Amino acid sequence: MTPPETTSPVSTAPEAPPAATAAGTGPVLFASDLDRTLVYSAAALHLTVPDAEAPRLLCVEVYRSAPLSYLTETAAAVLADLAALPAHHARFVPVTTRTPEQYRRMRLPGPAPTLAICANGGRLLVDGEPDPEWDETVADRLAADCAPLAEVRERLRATADPAWLLKERVAEDLFCYLVVDRERFPAAWADDLAAWAGERGWTVSVQGRKVYAVPRPLTKSAALAEVVRRTGAERVLAAGDSLLDADLLAAADRGWRPGHGELADTGWHAPHVTSLTTRGVHAGEEIVTAALAEIRGRTTTARRTSPRR
């Protein structure tokens, strides 16, 4: 799955209860979406300055022997600093719709995250491997609340027009998506699919050339709540650009969204979420810099206010 290039929403992301954070001495989590939030394909860089003034870029993903995803070198250095903080102070938690296989192509700066959320919350990776306990929890929730994946796939196959359908894919046997020709793709078809899917416990989102059909309980915030439970996190920072990130941002104590993407296009906002005007790869740099400043500021405050022994 290549990162989406443009966004065009069909439905709002499902709401989920905020991830409860406990007051105390737990770590601060920085739970961030990856594609078009922290990392960017060449098509999504949105470089508007003369070539000689463009930032130096670090490639963090290679696909089929070709470079695919980038950070600015400044963002890479900041992310490495953040990821290297002691785990009892802060943790960087990547949160993505990518499958574990697609996520493992990433070579992000700094130590490898011990926890990562993949498949839109359907997989929780612990030291790079799917957690069986979380897999079982997700399977039970989907079986109880949603129509089977096979039924939704059949609907997509039966109604998609070969004139605009390029590929049909399934992610981790959890959700499915289409890759389409956006110039020929009719928005009305997606609206009809969203209405049909909504009656069966599924949601639909169009992101660039991809049309996602995702079970309603399969959310990034649900997996984030499990990470908070396991780590005893005191505070959650989050970032994301698409409607599939809205519940993640809503569950955080503070968040950031870039000036591009579905959330920006629809005017989505929340009091605790900073809506940046910056677009493209510079937005990723601004987000990770703000997150590290927040973490360092909170750590410094905690040290000043802790009782002397």
Side-chain angles (χ1 to χ4, degrees), residues 49-102:
V49 297
D51 292 346
E53 299 175 17
R56 287 169 58 96
L57 300 174
L58 175 69
C59 178
V60 293
E61 180 183 16
V62 172
Y63 180 56
R64 294 180 177 177
S65 302
L68 181 61
S69 299
Y70 303 87
L71 294 164
T72 68
E73 286 192 346
T74 298
V78 174
L79 183 58
D81 286 347
L82 194 159
L85 291 172
H88 61 280
H89 286 318
R91 288 179 180 236
F92 169 50
V93 182
V95 185
T96 178
T97 56
R98 288 174 176 242
T99 65
E101 179 182 0
Q102 293 162 343

Side-chain angles (χ1 to χ4, degrees), residues 27-290:
V28 178
L29 300 184
F30 176 46
S32 180
D33 175 52
L34 295 177
D35 295 309
R36 300 186 84 245
T37 298
L38 290 188
V39 303
Y40 292 80
S41 68
L45 291 174
H46 195 72
L47 297 177
T48 57
V49 297
D51 292 346
E53 299 175 17
R56 287 169 58 96
L57 300 174
L58 175 69
C59 178
V60 293
E61 180 183 16
V62 172
Y63 180 56
R64 294 180 177 177
S65 302
L68 181 61
S69 299
Y70 303 87
L71 294 164
T72 68
E73 286 192 346
T74 298
V78 174
L79 183 58
D81 286 347
L82 194 159
L85 291 172
H88 61 280
H89 286 318
R91 288 179 180 236
F92 169 50
V93 182
V95 185
T96 178
T97 56
R98 288 174 176 242
T99 65
E101 179 182 0
Q102 293 162 343
Y103 166 71
R104 292 187 189 107
R105 293 201 304 255
M106 289 276 188
R107 293 292 181 266
L108 297 171
T114 57
L115 296 170
I117 295 169
C118 293
N120 207 61
R123 295 286 182 260
L124 176 58
L125 304 190
V126 180
D127 293 324
E129 296 299 325
D131 180 71
E133 180 183 344
W134 183 247
D135 287 352
E136 184 176 350
T137 297
V138 169
D140 290 345
R141 290 177 181 176
L142 300 192
D145 299 331
C146 307
L149 172 64
E151 180 180 344
V152 178
R153 286 192 71 190
E154 180 57 32
R155 173 74 177 195
L156 266 62
R157 289 170 171 172
T159 60
D161 189 337
W164 46 258
L165 176 63
L166 302 178
K167 298 176 184 178
E168 186 259 345
R169 294 288 185 268
V170 172
E172 294 289 294
D173 290 325
L174 293 170
F175 63 91
C176 50
Y177 64 94
L178 305 180
V179 181
V180 303
D181 182 339
R182 282 304 300 271
E183 292 184 359
R184 298 183 178 183
F185 178 70
W189 183 90
D191 293 336
D192 290 342
L193 176 64
W196 179 89
E199 297 174 352
R200 291 159 177 80
W202 287 63
T203 63
V204 172
S205 178
V206 178
Q207 300 184 43
R209 298 187 306 138
K210 294 187 176 72
V211 182
Y212 289 95
V214 180
R216 188 173 289 121
L218 197 68
T219 63
K220 295 179 177 181
S221 62
L224 174 63
E226 177 65 10
V227 170
V228 169
R229 185 187 71 81
R230 294 188 185 196
T231 61
E234 178 184 357
R235 185 169 175 82
V236 175
L237 313 178
D241 71 291
S242 81
L243 287 174
L244 292 175
D245 298 317
D247 66 292
L248 174 70
L249 290 168
D253 296 292
R254 184 175 181 186
W256 297 269
R257 70 156 174 83
H260 59 260
E262 283 182 309
L263 297 179
D265 292 345
T266 59
W268 186 95
H269 65 278
H272 64 288
V273 176
T274 300
S275 299
L276 304 180
T277 58
T278 313
R279 300 168 59 87
V281 71
H282 283 294
E285 180 179 312
E286 187 172 346
I287 287 169
V288 72
T289 300

